[in-house]
Amino acid sequence: MLNFTMGPVQSNECVRAIGAEQVPYFRTPEFSSILLESEHLIKNFANAESDARAVFLTASGTAAMEAVVMNLLTKDDRALVVNGGSFGQRFADLCRIHEVTFDEIKLNAGEALTAEHLAAYQDLDYTAFLVNLHETSTGVYYDISLISEFCKRNEIFLLVDAISSFLADPFDMRDLGVGAMISSSQKVLACPPGVSILLLSVAALKRVAQNHVQSLYFDLQDALKNGERGQTPFTPAVGILLQIHARLREIDKAGGAGSEIRKVSALATDFRQRITALPLEIASKSLSNTMTPLHPLNVPADQVFQVLKDEYGIWVCPNGGDLKERIFRVGHIGTLTQDDNSKLIEALHDMRSRALL
């Protein structure tokens, strides 16, 4: 199967080879050095402060979202949540569950965030801003510079889920004034799912230190203390952490974050330029390099997914809920090439000739 989904994505031979090895014991100096180097590389790729810290959490991206809400926000905060899809809704749900007062900037599917949206919330004493930088359910990439300027003007702590956009789109944590960023193993890092990475600024570390979380597993104070020696409080997904380390070193050797972003961008641009003759409409007014959301003009989107999977051996990313029949998504991350783009585009043209698109 050729995989154009949003994760898990295709891994390269190096990552797959590590996955085939015996998992080593991890309470060792050797493993600690690996985790500490991974932390250093993540900080470097995001241009985080020198005193920022990374936490490697054996959990899904949603668990990482919950961990940051629990550890960085309290009942004294007043949060503003961008809700333009299922992942924005998830941040709203987490605030509700953990009794954080919040308001939502509600956006329609495919709608970009604008200065006009933010103007309505100017000078209203918000203390935190939560955003899924790339709303993966709809394929909308929010203007992080616009959000950053708003948060700086209003002295708001900015918390960014960059799970699907980190290393696919430019991201300068220090310049943007981001307090905390979330990423995950199964997106651009192209490793198996199971590990999420929290990158915490100095301001975020202060919030963690002042908060008292009623949780054993999601207590970031404990995670940070163990991280000082390159360890985790509990048994982590050791094999995946070794794969992440290998990928980070690979990206660093190839030229760092900028080189990886250019690679993903080139794949996205190539694909988008070559689908213009097909009866497909790009369904987002603000695109990430990560993925192209497409609305088929003649058939249901879930039918396109099914036919590509069953008859052409190609996975694209389906949608659910109200978007099931409206939008399917084509990812540009993982071990993909322009030749792979050609195979998908040829399949789509063939489907059109068969009146299946």
Side-chain angles (χ1 to χ4, degrees):
M1 295 291 288
L2 186 55
N3 186 349
F4 286 90
T5 71
M6 289 305 300
V9 298
Q10 294 185 165
S11 301
N12 64 24
E13 291 183 7
C14 173
V15 169
R16 297 199 306 273
I18 293 171
E21 294 175 356
Q22 290 284 0
V23 177
Y25 182 64
F26 66 101
R27 299 295 191 198
T28 63
E30 291 80 7
F31 183 79
S32 292
S33 67
I34 284 170
L35 208 61
L36 289 169
E37 184 178 21
S38 293
E39 179 179 29
H40 169 75
L41 290 169
I42 286 285
K43 287 170 57 176
N44 182 44
F45 293 162
N47 193 31
E49 302 158 294
S50 59
D51 293 335
R53 293 287 306 282
V55 171
F56 297 87
L57 192 66
T58 297
S60 68
T62 299
M65 291 167 66
E66 183 156 27
V68 295
V69 170
M70 292 172 66
N71 285 267
L72 301 179
L73 303 180
T74 71
K75 294 178 183 179
D76 295 329
D77 278 298
R78 186 184 179 200
L80 190 56
V81 178
V82 179
N83 186 351
S86 59
F87 293 97
Q89 182 62 48
R90 202 160 296 178
F91 260 143
D93 292 341
L94 287 167
C95 286
R96 187 176 295 108
I97 289 168
H98 294 287
E99 299 180 358
V100 176
T101 300
F102 72 98
D103 291 313
E104 300 172 78
I105 303 175
K106 293 280 284 186
L107 301 173
N108 296 320
E111 184 181 5
L113 181 72
T114 67
E116 289 71 28
H117 289 122
L118 294 175
Y121 300 93
Q122 180 74 30
D123 300 321
L124 292 181
D125 298 323
Y126 290 100
T127 61
F129 192 107
L130 284 67
V131 62
N132 313 89
L133 183 52
H134 178 232
E135 176 51 70
T136 321
S137 66
T138 63
V140 176
Y141 180 69
Y142 298 124
D143 187 337
I144 188 60
S145 296
L146 182 70
I147 293 169
S148 169
E149 291 165 6
F150 173 81
C151 289
K152 287 176 180 178
R153 284 197 309 272
N154 289 273
E155 298 182 350
I156 298 174
F157 180 77
L158 176 54
L159 196 162
V160 176
D161 158 16
I163 288 173
S164 62
S165 66
F166 182 58
L167 296 174
D169 301 296
F171 186 86
D172 189 320
M173 187 168 179
R174 194 179 324 201
D175 182 62
L176 293 167
V178 172
M181 182 202 76
I182 308 170
S183 61
S184 281
S185 55
Q186 78 276 18
K187 302 297 184 181
V188 180
L189 289 176
C191 295
V195 171
S196 293
I197 305 164
L198 316 180
L199 189 51
L200 307 175
S201 68
V202 172
L205 294 173
K206 290 178 181 177
R207 281 179 169 257
V208 171
Q210 293 167 0
N211 203 352
H212 300 285
V213 174
Q214 300 298 308
S215 174
L216 180 68
Y217 195 78
F218 290 132
D219 182 356
L220 294 188
Q221 288 186 21
D222 194 16
L224 289 163
K225 182 179 179 181
N226 279 270
E228 291 174 2
R229 60 190 180 96
Q231 288 290 330
T232 59
F234 311 104
T235 303
V238 177
I240 298 174
L241 287 170
L242 294 176
Q243 292 169 312
I244 289 172
H245 177 250
R247 271 289 286 148
L248 291 171
R249 294 189 72 177
E250 183 179 76
I251 291 168
D252 189 47
K253 185 177 180 180
S259 176
E260 190 70 16
I261 291 165
R262 287 190 293 273
K263 183 179 78 173
V264 178
S265 176
L267 281 172
T269 300
D270 173 71
F271 177 79
R272 290 165 189 167
Q273 288 175 342
R274 295 165 66 187
I275 60 168
T276 53
L278 289 164
L280 297 168
E281 184 178 82
I282 293 178
S284 169
K285 297 186 183 301
S286 179
L287 290 169
S288 163
N289 293 323
T290 302
M291 174 258 281
T292 304
L294 294 169
H295 169 58
L297 300 181
N298 302 323
V299 298
D302 57 334
Q303 177 180 306
V304 177
F305 160 75
Q306 200 70 38
V307 172
L308 283 171
K309 176 176 72 71
D310 294 344
E311 300 187 27
Y312 295 89
I314 297 174
W315 279 318
V316 293
C317 208
N319 233 316
D322 294 340
L323 300 179
K324 179 179 179 181
E325 296 187 355
R326 291 172 51 198
I327 297 173
F328 71 93
R329 298 162 291 167
V330 175
H332 310 299
I333 56 179
T335 308
L336 290 170
T337 66
Q338 291 191 5
D339 285 342
D340 293 326
N341 279 352
S342 295
K343 293 173 185 175
L344 173 56
I345 291 165
E346 287 168 8
L348 292 169
H349 277 287
D350 189 57
M351 287 175 63
R352 185 186 187 187
S353 71
R354 300 169 57 202
L356 295 174
L357 182 66

